[in-house]
Amino acid sequence: MEKIVICGKRPLNGTVRMASMKNAALPIIFATVLVGERCIIKDLPDVSDINLSLEILVQMGAVCERNGRETMIDTSSIDPDTDIPLELVKKMRASYYLVGALLGRYQKARVGYPGGCDFGTRPIDQHLKCFSALGAKADVVGGYIVADAPDGLYGSHIFFDAVSVGATVNAILTAACAEGMTVIERPAREPHIVALANFLNACGANISGAGTDSIKIRGVKKLHGTLDGEMIPDMIEAGTFMAAVAATGGKVTIENVIPKHVESITAKLIEMGVTVETDEDNETVTVERDPDKDLSRIMVKALPYPGFPTDMQPQICALTCFAKGTSYVSEGVWDNRFRYVEELIRMGAHILVEGKTAVIEGGYVLKGTEVTAVDLRGGAAMVIAGLASEGVTAIDNIDLIKRGYDDIVGKMKGLGADIRLVTFPDT
Ligand code: EPZ
């Protein structure tokens, strides 16, 4: 079994480059199924969720070739009726983007019910709602999402009841080639939605308003491949490194980041007394904290973009353990995203979770011990806690961290952390 082992209390210093954003890359990878021609995508991150999604496409008959910075995906000869093994689709959430992509191209889809991190219930009612609104019959049958539009797909007015990244992606994929105009009201506004729209527009789609409160899609008959699929930097990876520097102290310049995307994180770190600066060209963010200066308490609520990202909620909670006073971290997206808190308590943190709010009594000394990555970002929170704690922290279940972080160990080590991957015999 592999673990991340950290000897804490070393400041981070230097420069680190962020990978592309997993949650933007996933919709684009599955969008190539809708495109149906050869696409070249640049700078896919080397994380297991991306490799898994490429494996799913290969199982369906696609050709996927990684060549340096470029990945070629050709979905022209996929078999839409492929029964992808359930154990593959259940390893991630984004596999359900296949439903929108297959429905858009073949007017039918049958895809195993997806898995993903455990945050309590993760309904798909808004996905089913958008498939139906566009003319398909869609439901969950025996562990599969099944959708069928024998009479074709037709543009429609969709008003989402919940702001959902996944349902917005599926609505865009289903509507891009539907007949007529689709308007999506109350869509998710995350940068990854804009990235998906830009990619599909580069393939001949007609999508406007992504990133705003209303997305308009004029359906086109056919899409074409592109040789220029661009990725965006991973704002959550950047936020994780920003929080790590705030926790340990030191000075780190983060490259390949869009400062606007991390604005809500920057604002909270500044409130805590951390210096965060953007360079003149708006291309890097430098985070600096004097380790001898106390961090101030904060109140944070995780919300859909442009609010503070829920995917940074565990990392900021870990950081507040090192701040003076009582901090409040509320979750405004998921029912239960505090399973990692018990692991922080194991290290000596004083945290009480009341409903959807964690109350953190900061300033207690945290000491390293054996902890678990309960999910992807919960695992990142343990890395931050380990880096800033006394003694040795050993994190297991790290496959969950590898789902979304491209070489977190190597990058932290490059900044001066005493961190390594260690293989232990299985017990
Ligand atoms: C995406 O999940 C991300 N995953 C998650 O990141 C992220 O936490 C989440 O968006 C919110 O930002 C990917 O992009 C692969 P949602 P998704 O649909 O799309 C409710 C990470 O750490 N909802 O936006 O599955 C739902 O219950 C991962 O990288 C419905 O009610 O999330 C939740 O409360 C974890 N009905 C809220 O919407 C639906 O049909 C947001 O969920 C769908 C969602």
Side-chain angles (χ1 to χ4, degrees):
M1 184 210 296
E2 221 179 13
K3 296 188 186 185
I4 294 177
V5 177
I6 305 168
C7 194
K9 283 265 170 236
R10 289 180 180 230
L12 298 174
N13 283 293
T15 299
V16 64
R17 190 171 174 78
M18 298 298 98
S20 303
M21 187 165 190
K22 164 189 83 95
N23 288 348
L26 289 167
I28 289 175
I29 288 173
F30 287 109
T32 64
V33 168
L34 176 70
V35 173
E37 290 187 1
R38 189 169 174 269
C39 293
I40 292 185
I41 303 175
K42 294 193 181 123
D43 295 323
L44 284 181
D46 189 8
V47 300
S48 62
D49 272 14
I50 296 296
N51 298 331
L52 182 64
S53 46
L54 294 174
E55 194 184 327
I56 290 174
L57 296 197
V58 168
Q59 291 244 348
M60 298 177 75
V63 180
C64 300
E65 284 167 7
R66 274 200 189 228
N67 214 334
R69 285 182 54 197
E70 294 187 341
T71 303
M72 191 282 292
I73 306 178
D74 185 348
T75 59
S76 52
S77 359
I78 59 165
D79 174 3
D81 297 319
T82 311
D83 198 0
I84 309 151
L86 282 178
E87 65 265 21
L88 272 191
V89 288
K90 278 167 86 171
K91 278 191 185 158
M92 70 195 302
R93 198 73 192 159
S95 51
Y96 62 8
Y97 296 156
L98 262 182
V99 181
L102 287 170
L103 194 56
R105 181 163 160 199
Y106 300 100
Q107 290 73 56
K108 60 173 185 174
R110 183 174 178 272
V111 178
Y113 201 88
C117 294
D118 175 7
F119 307 141
T121 21
R122 294 186 73 171
I124 62 156
D125 57 306
Q126 299 303 304
H127 299 247
L128 299 178
K129 173 175 164 161
C130 86
F131 299 140
S132 311
L134 293 163
K137 266 181 76 178
D139 214 337
V140 180
V141 184
Y144 286 81
I145 305 173
V146 182
D148 195 14
D151 300 327
L153 295 162
Y154 295 91
S156 178
H157 200 112
I158 302 168
F159 194 104
F160 280 126
D161 304 315
V163 179
S164 161
V165 171
T168 305
V169 168
N170 260 330
I172 292 174
L173 293 173
T174 313
C177 296
E179 202 177 314
M181 177 73 109
T182 297
V183 179
I184 308 171
E185 306 282 10
R186 223 169 153 236
R189 291 187 284 161
E190 268 72 0
H192 17 308
I193 299 296
V194 180
L196 172 66
N198 288 343
F199 173 77
L200 286 171
N201 283 342
C203 297
N206 186 346
I207 304 169
S208 58
T212 74
D213 288 339
S214 176
I215 299 177
K216 290 193 177 63
I217 304 171
R218 183 166 292 285
V220 295
K221 283 217 159 18
K222 197 169 162 16
L223 298 171
H224 56 75
T226 175
L227 303 180
D228 210 14
E230 293 281 350
M231 285 294 122
I232 55 170
D234 194 326
M235 65 188 210
I236 303 300
E237 186 190 19
T240 302
F241 276 81
M242 291 165 76
V245 184
T248 61
K251 183 175 179 183
V252 169
T253 296
I254 298 175
E255 294 179 344
N256 196 33
V257 59
I258 297 176
K260 177 89 190 146
H261 292 176
V262 293
E263 227 165 36
S264 62
I265 304 163
T266 299
K268 285 298 154 191
L269 295 190
I270 290 174
E271 259 183 73
M272 294 182 89
V274 178
T275 306
V276 185
E277 278 169 357
T278 299
D279 72 315
E280 265 177 18
D281 299 327
N282 237 1
E283 284 176 350
T284 65
V285 168
T286 298
V287 181
E288 182 171 14
R289 184 202 151 205
D290 176 352
D292 296 326
K293 223 177 109 196
D294 282 337
L295 289 169
S296 307
R297 63 182 285 272
I298 45 162
M299 291 167 76
V300 188
K301 180 160 186 179
L303 291 166
Y305 191 83
F308 188 88
T310 172
D311 293 345
M312 274 299 297
Q313 182 262 93
Q315 301 91 311
I316 203 84
C317 185
L319 174 60
T320 59
C321 295
F322 302 95
K324 227 181 161 58
T326 307
S327 293
Y328 295 83
V329 175
S330 290
E331 175 57 48
V333 177
W334 296 108
D335 282 350
N336 178 12
R337 200 173 189 169
F338 287 113
R339 291 193 313 127
Y340 66 88
V341 162
E342 206 174 318
E343 304 304 307
L344 290 174
I345 291 173
R346 229 181 266 287
M347 297 176 75
H350 285 56
I351 307 177
L352 186 71
V353 177
E354 281 283 349
K356 289 188 171 190
T357 300
V359 182
I360 305 109
E361 265 320 309
Y364 286 87
V365 174
L366 264 60
K367 289 210 164 103
T369 183
E370 306 255 329
V371 292
T372 293
V374 298
D375 54 45
L376 165 57
R377 310 300 172 187
M382 299 323 296
V383 172
I384 293 171
L387 290 170
S389 296
E390 289 181 359
V392 178
T393 302
I395 309 170
D396 66 17
N397 217 15
I398 61 167
D399 281 353
L400 292 182
I401 300 178
K402 290 183 182 172
R403 286 185 56 193
Y405 287 92
D406 187 341
D407 193 21
I408 193 168
V409 169
K411 288 178 184 175
M412 290 291 183
K413 196 184 280 193
L415 296 174
D418 184 342
I419 181 170
R420 57 195 189 281
L421 280 173
V422 180
T423 306
F424 290 85
D426 286 334
T427 47

